[in-house]
Amino acid sequence: MSETNPVLNRLSQELNRVVVGQSTLIQQVLIALLAGGHVILEGVPGTGKTLLVKVLAQLIQADFRRIQLTPDVLPSDITGTNIFDLNTRSFSLKKGPVFTEVLLADEINRTPPKTQAALLEAMEEMQVTLDGESLALPELFWVIATQNPLEFEGTYPLPEAQLDRFVFKLVVDYPDQAAEKQMLLNRQAGFAARRLDIARLQPVATVPEILQARQVVREVKISEAIIDYLLALVKASRQYPDLALGASPRAAGSWLQTSQATAYLGGRNFVTPDDVKAVAPSLLRHRLILRPEAMLDGVQIDGVIASILNKVPVPR
């Protein structure tokens, strides 16, 4: 048994203090950060998605950029471009917002596939190619994409292959009544979710500390029995009768990493079956595709995930 990292304890406490009523969401976001996996946040407007990302970037002293993705955003608006300078008669590189440590891609499903692809290439390759030159992105480079589940007109849903590059899809729900009351009390006391107020927050960690924690997460022990259990769950998803598409090999790798991060946040240096189960809904809900007939019958993805977890025997 190992102790929980005090830096991550402070980070979690401070996030919960500012972003009220979203403790489960915060836990899952920290797991993704430690596993080095990008995240989709899905929720109606006004539920604190943007606030959470801004506050987290401030607390770990990371470079932060935000890009509002609309139908007229071009790939070069994200990656940057070479601009000809008439004075020097040479090209100079103007880097886009992708050259940062924490990137908030707001409403990713409102921008066309070509622009989505430019962002997703950077996520997968950790580099951007401009005019034949490959430019490395920062080591932390982490993308949080948001989308509104209620908007269908004028949207471009991400294809399955691109969704698979996000480690988690987190559903941001309304806070409960007590949490919402605390939010109103905070606002009455003078806190507003503006950049000025966020900039006053005292950092509790650094980017090198987060990168070091990621390295420790990779060393968390995972027994062969747990790996076999994880693979049995993956196989069950591929054979589930209501599913047209199960978990991919990339999903299996992400499942292992996020299980290690869950154990680490729990103060353990070994993975348990509960760690594997804890991340399953967030990891699978955007990867599993229902058959059309199952959709017509009203089958829900989260119900399918629960059924798979119940059917596969847990190692003793």
Side-chain angles (χ1 to χ4, degrees):
M1 191 86 171
S2 65
E3 291 185 7
T4 310
N5 187 317
V7 169
L8 288 161
N9 268 343
R10 291 197 301 273
L11 184 56
S12 178
Q13 288 166 8
E14 193 66 16
L15 281 168
N16 278 290
R17 187 182 70 80
V18 180
V19 186
V20 181
Q22 300 287 6
S23 55
T24 303
L25 174 68
I26 288 167
Q27 174 85 355
Q28 296 284 295
V29 166
L30 289 178
I31 288 168
L33 175 62
L34 289 171
H38 309 292
V39 176
I40 295 177
L41 295 180
E42 182 176 275
V44 296
T47 46
K49 301 186 295 293
T50 301
L51 175 63
L52 171 60
V53 183
K54 283 183 174 179
V55 170
L56 179 52
Q58 172 68 16
L59 292 175
I60 65 173
Q61 304 175 61
D63 290 333
F64 170 79
R65 297 278 188 90
R66 173 187 178 180
I67 183 163
Q68 187 69 42
L69 294 166
T70 55
D72 59 348
V73 171
L74 300 171
S76 59
D77 294 329
I78 293 175
T79 59
T81 187
N82 281 308
I83 296 173
F84 187 72
D85 189 326
L86 287 170
N87 294 324
T88 62
R89 298 198 170 275
S90 63
F91 284 95
S92 61
L93 174 65
K94 183 183 179 185
K95 290 184 175 180
V98 76
F99 288 92
T100 189
E101 290 173 323
V102 178
L103 177 67
L104 176 61
D106 249 337
E107 297 186 290
I108 192 169
N109 57 337
R110 286 182 60 80
T111 201
K114 191 173 183 180
T115 306
Q116 289 175 1
L119 176 60
L120 294 162
E121 179 189 6
M123 289 164 52
E124 185 71 9
E125 305 295 334
M126 291 292 288
Q127 66 178 28
V128 171
T129 304
L130 291 172
D131 292 342
E133 184 184 359
S134 294
L135 304 167
L137 294 170
E139 192 176 353
L140 182 78
F141 182 64
W142 190 47
V143 176
I144 310 283
T146 71
Q147 58 183 30
N148 182 344
L150 302 179
E151 289 186 1
F152 299 106
E153 201 168 324
T155 61
Y156 306 85
L158 272 70
E160 290 78 14
Q162 294 183 345
L163 281 170
D164 200 35
R165 296 182 189 185
F166 288 92
V167 69
F168 280 170
K169 179 182 177 182
L170 304 177
V171 178
V172 187
D173 212 344
Y174 292 115
D176 60 33
Q177 191 169 353
E180 203 155 3
K181 181 179 178 180
Q182 185 60 51
M183 287 165 60
L184 294 177
L185 290 171
N186 288 355
R187 178 163 290 196
Q188 190 181 31
F191 178 81
R194 289 192 291 268
R195 187 68 198 165
L196 183 64
D197 282 6
I198 291 169
R200 291 185 185 135
L201 293 173
Q202 289 300 311
V204 297
T206 63
V207 168
E209 284 175 328
I210 298 299
L211 293 173
Q212 185 180 10
R214 280 186 181 178
Q215 187 57 46
V216 177
V217 163
R218 294 188 195 102
E219 295 164 7
V220 170
K221 298 180 183 70
I222 182 160
S223 69
E224 193 170 336
I226 297 292
I227 289 176
D228 288 341
Y229 173 58
L230 193 154
L231 289 172
L233 290 167
V234 169
K235 184 178 179 182
S237 78
R238 294 170 185 169
Q239 297 175 343
Y240 199 84
D242 286 333
L243 293 177
L245 184 70
S248 68
R250 183 191 277 126
S254 296
W255 205 339
L256 186 143
Q257 287 176 304
T258 51
S259 298
Q260 289 174 303
T262 305
Y264 178 71
L265 273 182
R268 282 172 283 105
N269 61 359
F270 59 92
V271 175
T272 68
D274 284 342
D275 297 325
V276 175
K277 286 181 167 183
V279 296
S282 303
L283 185 118
L284 295 175
R285 64 167 59 101
H286 57 299
R287 291 181 161 102
L288 306 184
I289 305 297
L290 287 167
R291 293 187 185 279
E293 54 270 29
M295 289 185 196
L296 291 172
D297 290 340
V299 175
Q300 299 293 318
I301 281 291
D302 280 18
V304 169
I305 295 167
S307 174
I308 290 169
L309 292 175
N310 287 332
K311 284 182 178 178
V312 176
V314 176
R316 298 296 175 194

